[in-house]
Amino acid sequence: MADLKVDLIAPNGRKITLPTGIFINNEFVKGNGGTITSINPTDESEIATVSAASADDVDTAVKAARKAFNDPSWREMSGTDRGAIMFKWADLLDANKETLATLDTWDNGKPYQVALNEDLNEVLSCIRYYAGWADKIQGETIPTTPGKKFAYTLKQPIGVCAQIIPWNYPLAMAAWKLGPALACGNTVVMKPAEQTPLSILFAAQFIKEAGFPPGVINILNGYGKETGHALASHLDIDKVAFTGSTATGKAIMKTASVNMKNITLETGGKSPLLVFDDCDLEQTAKWAHLGIMSNQGQICTATSRVLVQETIMDKFLEEFKEVIKTTSKVGDPFADDTYQGPQVTKQQYERVLSYIEAGKNDGATLATGGVPKKDVGDGKGFFIEPTVFTGVTEDMRVYQEEVFGPFCVVVPFKSEEDAIRMANNTTYGLGSAVFTQDVNRAHRVADRIEAGMVWINSSQDSDVRVPFGGVKQSGIGRELGEAGLAAYSQTKAVHVNIGLKL
Ligand code: NAD
């Protein structure tokens, strides 16, 4: 790690020279918080060792971000020029998207085709979408006393923003947070997840080349309890935006109160998918499968509670299991026909297995899966068979707690009222899905579900133009769309007296 770069050859043969430092003031420097060694979840081998940031490094990065925030080169830059830099960065990432996707697959375990065609497309469209917004962020004029007084509003950036992100969509989560923050003119200190530190370092190489002034974007790999905590508690940070578990979100909220930081939290979920007996059964089973088994089940909005009208429970279950059998090929994430790669880490793998035990111990019935998959490669790696439990009651842990793996429960309901009550019987409120051919019922149920998002006859739709976020303990605030700008700007009211004499 002496020259802060390492030459790698990925499992797909791609040669990659990866920076290994922390990125402050447009330069890679050695971090003082020890190192992070990233493990390939497919075969448990070591991929690379990178620097972690100490609390002192956090302080250095915050000073750089503060200086950049106050510097005319950024503060006085027009929105159009800011947008142009963002477009340029997106173009540079676009030219390297195969390498970025390779790093995300290698580090995270997600299928390469998904990393390339879904995650990287989302990264690019998100940065470009917000680049387009950069010169369209403006206030309004409010006539107060006509002819004598009026007021206008200014939309101003919040300041230095800490962004703490998870490992399930390493680059996409970075883009969701950087896009609106930069469009609004903030400066950023980002902490990626320690489980997936690599792709963002490759992306950071192009920040200077794109034209961002030094200190506007700082990237600090590091551990949650050290680097993450140093960010949440720093007195010169104005905002913290976080995606991850509800427990960590609560801890960050508490820590961030030290200087009353503005916060946005996107936390856990136990999202319901409601199947009414008038649905298109074949399509419903396919969407239900995608809703929980894609991305190895590691999606905060995963529809992990499948609630089925009792009249079609048996038929649905049969169809659902058939889709799993024919679609969910578990294997090497670099193989083209793989649907499901390994869980991201040993810890997550063991967590999913512990919930399989909890389901069995609580008396639920294993309908399929429930075991590690050991016949991939040489038997190492964190692979788990897609798992479905039936015979589940609402008080069971597998009904109430977020598992974050290829794991769902299928539970019958009697009536629409029953379905809504069961769907809302959770501390979470992130995603939700309704399958029915009855248009009135679809909208009636969508209105009553306690969730930030509802999919009608679909699951997991996400679009950069559409607000994303949760209610209850699934979070505070919204990302994406125009709503995402609200999280990174503040409104100043300026009152003007043009002729009222006292
Ligand atoms: P986590 O919430 O602990 O970590 C998310 C991010 O927060 C990481 O960057 C981590 O380093 C940082 N962090 C951890 N502790 C911190 C602290 N005290 N102060 C500041 N930052 C801190 O999530 P995890 O341990 O990676 O995963 C655990 C569970 O979280 C998963 O099983 C899943 O249920 C949930 N999760 C949810 C999402 C989501 O998108 N909602 C994403 C990842 C994980």
Side-chain angles (χ1 to χ4, degrees), residues 31-86:
N32 297 301
T35 55
I36 296 173
T37 297
S38 189
I39 303 295
N40 177 356
T42 300
D43 62 7
E44 303 178 44
S45 62
E46 290 185 3
I47 305 174
T49 296
V50 301
S51 264
S54 67
D56 283 348
D57 295 327
V58 166
D59 196 50
T60 307
V62 173
K63 286 197 171 89
R66 176 61 62 193
K67 187 161 177 284
F69 183 70
N70 289 326
D71 196 284
S73 68
W74 183 247
R75 202 185 65 233
E76 294 175 6
M77 186 183 284
S78 74
T80 307
D81 290 347
R82 227 168 36 236
I85 294 176
M86 293 173 70

Side-chain angles (χ1 to χ4, degrees), residues 239-243 262-266 476-479 487-488:
K239 177 189 175 88
V240 57
F242 165 80
T243 298
N262 176 312
I263 51 171
T264 308
L265 304 174
E266 200 268 279
I476 296 176
R478 292 290 176 270
E479 300 191 280
Y488 287 98

Side-chain angles (χ1 to χ4, degrees), residues 411-426:
V411 187
F413 67 82
K414 284 191 168 54
S415 63
E416 185 178 314
E417 217 30 59
D418 198 21
I420 292 167
R421 187 199 56 73
M422 286 170 71
N424 291 341
N425 180 13
T426 167

Side-chain angles (χ1 to χ4, degrees), residues 64-118:
R66 176 61 62 193
K67 187 161 177 284
F69 183 70
N70 289 326
D71 196 284
S73 68
W74 183 247
R75 202 185 65 233
E76 294 175 6
M77 186 183 284
S78 74
T80 307
D81 290 347
R82 227 168 36 236
I85 294 176
M86 293 173 70
F87 277 120
K88 173 100 190 278
W89 191 38
D91 289 346
L92 290 163
L93 299 179
D94 202 348
N96 288 277
K97 71 178 185 181
E98 286 82 4
T99 298
L100 291 163
T102 298
L103 284 167
D104 266 357
T105 291
W106 198 4
D107 209 7
N108 167 283
K110 64 176 64 204
Y112 178 70
Q113 292 308 327
V114 173
L116 182 66
N117 299 319
E118 297 177 24

Side-chain angles (χ1 to χ4, degrees), residues 164-169 173 191-195 222-232 242-249 251-252 255 266-269 298-301 347-348 351 402-404 428 430:
I164 301 175
I165 59 170
W167 41 260
N168 51 345
Y169 292 91
M173 287 298 101
K191 192 199 88 61
E194 53 268 50
Q195 296 83 354
Y223 296 94
K225 291 216 155 39
E226 289 84 31
T227 317
H229 180 77
L231 284 167
F242 165 80
T243 298
S245 63
T246 293
T248 304
I252 287 178
T255 309
E266 200 268 279
T267 54
Q298 299 167 155
I299 314 182
C300 47
T301 51
Q347 194 187 351
Q348 284 302 122
R351 178 185 162 99
E402 182 178 47
V403 176
F404 226 61
Y428 295 113
L430 198 53

